[in-house]
């Protein structure tokens, strides 16, 4: 090429899941069937009544049109109703922007809050898309250290030491992707007040929060929660609509107003068909979501119970809902080397620890969205045999 490329983007590693799928393609034709512990998406479909609703909506020519940039008012009102049931939230539609997946919500938040050269404190291990996005934007991720004995939970003293005049936000994910660890409500509240004290945004990615039993936290019950809290959410996992890109940004009305300037230049709006599907799910599928939460909990518990039996050299470091964070038994090998060998030789797809932050080469992430109960014994047998 005769033109230059953005150096920030060039420094970012390729999409990890695409890399793993390239490894899988290198397997011999006679190899055993793949067991996918890589991509953290549900393997089940939306319920028949939602599919029916989507089919009927598709027949209306109005469904082919743009919506307002922030989303249809009736869809945002459905979000608020769901959040009142789920979080006892004090939320209004002007605090909601529907986005093309949680990734777009994260970009909107970062572009609205930060300049190039600013810093965001990121708790390790972190969801790989977050530092990829920050680095692409010229924003510096400042990593709060991972402590295995604390299951990767954020530590207030560690975070305070990382705050500088360039810090704009503290970024957390709960349940964690990759560890599955849930930040306890009292710790989240202390982090909220820490961010408030330092005039920082507390950005909370809760993509998998519908797989937590009970109310995840009480931050949305505060009168002025938007003064500090910025939530990134994906309903794609909740309603098995990952291809519909059903994301959301929840924040103060002023932040939403500024973010819409960016939304209008990127995607304009979340597709109307997605909003109609989401509105239906928010209003009608609480019991269905709860049923799937219980199913994923059962799947997780069954895997962890058998994986942790004596004789397995892969060691469980943390787990919860969709994920297990595992320490591999090869100290001289990186997570990428082990994950590649697992894919090619054992037919198990996992993600290497280093894509979740620096210094995590000893680990692998396992995701349970694509493994049914009957495949769990075979998966664990392959780990034992490989080690």
């Amino acid at each position: 090429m005769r033109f230059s490329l953005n150096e920030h983007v060039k420094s970012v590693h390729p999409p990890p899941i695409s890399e793993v799928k390239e490894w899988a393609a290198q397997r011999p034709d006679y190899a055993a069937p793949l067991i996918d512990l890589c991509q953290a998406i549900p393997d089940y479909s939306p319920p028949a009544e939602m599919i029916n609703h989507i089919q009927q909506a598709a027949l209306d020519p109005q469904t082919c049109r743009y919506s307002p940039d922030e989303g249809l008012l009736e869809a945002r009102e459905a979000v608020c109703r769901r959040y009142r049931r789920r979080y006892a939230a004090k939320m209004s539609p002007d605090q909601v922007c529907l986005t093309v997946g949680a990734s777009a919500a994260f970009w909107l938040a970062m572009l609205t809050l930060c300049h190039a050269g600013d810093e965001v404190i990121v708790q390790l291990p972190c969801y790989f898309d977050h530092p990829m996005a920050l680095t692409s934007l010229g924003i510096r991720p400042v990593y709060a250290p991972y402590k295995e004995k604390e299951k990767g939970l954020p530590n207030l003293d560690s975070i305070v030491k990382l705050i500088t005049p360039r810090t704009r936000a503290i970024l957390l994910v709960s349940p964690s992707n990759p560890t599955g660890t849930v930040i306890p409500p009292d710790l989240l509240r202390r982090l909220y007040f820490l961010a408030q004290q330092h005039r920082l945004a507390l950005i909370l990615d809760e993509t998998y929060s519908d797989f937590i039993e009970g109310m995840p936290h009480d931050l949305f019950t505060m009168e002025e929660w938007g003064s500090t809290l910025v939530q990134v959410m994906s309903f794609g996992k909740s309603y098995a609509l990952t291809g519909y890109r059903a994301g959301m940004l929840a924040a103060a009305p002023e932040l939403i107003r500024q973010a819409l300037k960016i939304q209008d230049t990127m995607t304009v709006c979340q597709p109307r068909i997605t909003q109609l599907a989401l509105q239906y799910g928010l209003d009608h599928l609480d019991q269905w979501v709860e049923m799937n939460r219980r199913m994923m909990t059962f799947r997780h518990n069954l895997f962890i119970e058998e994986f942790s039996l004596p004789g397995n050299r892969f060691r469980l470091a943390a787990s919860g809902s969709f994920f297990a964070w595992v320490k591999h038994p090869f100290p001289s090998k990186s997570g990428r080397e082990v994950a590649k060998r697992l894919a090619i030789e054992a037919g198990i797809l996992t993600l290497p620890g280093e894509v979740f932050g620096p210094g995590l080469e000893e680990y692998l992430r396992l995701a349970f969205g694509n493994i049914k109960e009957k495949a769990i014994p075979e998966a664990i047998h392959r780990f034992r045999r490989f080690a």
Side-chain angles (χ1 to χ4, degrees):
M1 295 185 299
R2 294 182 177 273
F3 47 83
S4 60
L5 298 175
N6 185 323
E7 292 300 323
H8 294 308
V9 175
K10 286 172 66 177
S11 69
V12 175
H13 61 70
I17 291 173
S18 299
E19 184 179 13
V20 172
K21 290 181 176 178
E22 289 174 5
W23 300 338
Q26 299 174 30
R27 302 183 68 233
D29 293 338
Y30 56 82
L34 282 170
I35 295 176
D36 185 357
L37 295 170
C38 174
Q39 197 163 13
I41 58 175
D43 63 351
Y44 47 85
S45 301
E49 59 264 39
M50 174 178 270
I51 293 174
N52 262 346
H53 180 77
I54 294 169
Q55 288 172 334
Q56 292 303 310
L59 297 174
D60 182 354
Q62 189 70 18
T63 303
C64 302
R65 298 180 179 273
Y66 290 128
S67 78
D69 287 12
E70 63 272 31
L72 296 165
L73 175 60
E74 53 267 37
R76 290 180 289 122
E77 287 174 337
V79 169
C80 296
R81 288 192 293 271
R82 167 69 171 155
Y83 269 55
R84 282 194 287 272
R85 297 193 302 274
R86 181 78 172 129
Y87 290 92
K90 298 175 180 177
M91 181 180 284
S92 57
D94 63 349
Q95 296 172 303
V96 173
C97 176
L98 301 178
T99 62
V100 181
S103 297
F106 182 71
W107 273 75
L108 290 182
M110 291 299 94
L111 282 165
T112 306
L113 289 166
C114 300
H115 300 87
D118 285 343
E119 298 174 351
V120 172
I121 296 172
V122 179
Q123 178 61 51
L124 290 178
C126 60
Y127 174 46
F128 53 78
D129 269 2
H130 290 163
M132 289 173 70
L134 292 172
T135 303
S136 296
L137 291 167
I139 301 165
R140 180 174 172 244
V142 177
Y143 295 110
Y146 166 65
K147 297 180 181 178
E148 186 181 296
K149 65 180 181 180
E150 297 176 6
K151 307 293 185 183
L153 287 172
N155 179 283
L156 268 74
D157 291 337
S158 297
I159 288 173
V160 166
K161 293 175 183 176
L162 300 176
I163 296 173
T164 75
R166 300 299 315 216
T167 307
R168 294 293 173 265
I170 300 168
L171 172 60
L172 305 171
V173 182
S174 183
S176 166
N177 177 2
T179 67
T181 302
V182 176
I183 303 175
D186 62 331
L187 177 55
L188 267 179
R189 183 178 272 264
R190 282 183 283 147
L191 289 159
Y192 174 93
F193 287 120
L194 172 67
Q196 191 175 72
Q197 175 188 348
H198 290 272
R199 303 180 67 83
L200 305 175
L202 179 68
I203 303 172
L204 184 58
D205 183 327
E206 294 194 82
T207 292
Y208 294 92
S209 65
D210 278 328
F211 298 91
I212 299 174
E213 184 177 7
M215 184 169 151
H217 57 77
D218 64 357
L219 299 185
F220 285 114
T221 67
M222 299 183 184
E223 289 293 341
E224 299 293 333
W225 61 262
S227 68
T228 301
L229 179 63
V230 176
Q231 191 210 39
V232 171
M233 180 59 180
S234 166
F235 297 106
K237 280 73 176 179
S238 306
Y239 301 111
L241 291 172
T242 52
Y244 276 60
R245 312 305 295 129
M248 185 189 79
L249 180 66
E254 178 59 21
L255 190 150
I256 296 293
R257 280 193 292 271
Q258 298 303 323
L260 289 178
K261 300 173 184 177
I262 303 161
Q263 171 110 314
D264 194 70
T265 65
M266 291 174 63
T267 59
V268 180
C269 60
Q270 187 184 84
R272 188 181 284 252
I273 191 73
T274 300
Q275 296 180 52
L276 297 175
L278 177 57
Q279 181 184 347
Y280 182 89
L282 291 163
D283 280 340
H284 299 286
L285 296 181
D286 283 6
Q287 289 185 339
W288 184 83
V289 170
E290 173 61 14
M291 177 188 71
N292 287 307
R293 183 199 67 76
R294 292 178 183 180
M295 180 194 70
M296 287 304 305
T297 299
F298 177 80
R299 191 181 291 185
H300 162 270
N301 292 347
L302 178 61
F303 190 101
I304 296 307
E305 182 180 353
E306 295 201 26
F307 190 87
S308 301
L309 291 174
N312 186 1
R313 291 177 61 207
F314 288 86
R315 182 173 60 79
L316 184 70
S319 74
S321 61
F322 254 75
F323 303 110
W325 184 240
V326 169
K327 194 166 188 178
H328 67 72
F330 306 104
S332 63
K333 303 292 184 183
S334 68
R336 182 170 268 103
E337 290 174 288
V338 176
K340 184 175 182 178
R341 284 189 55 199
L342 278 167
I344 296 172
E345 299 173 24
I348 300 175
L349 302 185
T350 65
L351 282 178
E354 53 263 45
V355 304
F356 299 98
L360 299 173
E361 292 82 1
E362 298 175 284
Y363 298 93
L364 304 171
R365 189 199 77 176
L366 316 185
F368 303 130
N370 287 295
I371 184 167
K372 296 189 183 299
E373 289 85 347
K374 63 182 180 181
I376 288 174
E378 171 62 18
I380 294 169
H381 173 68
R382 293 189 193 184
F383 276 107
R384 292 175 181 274
R385 186 173 58 193
F386 183 84

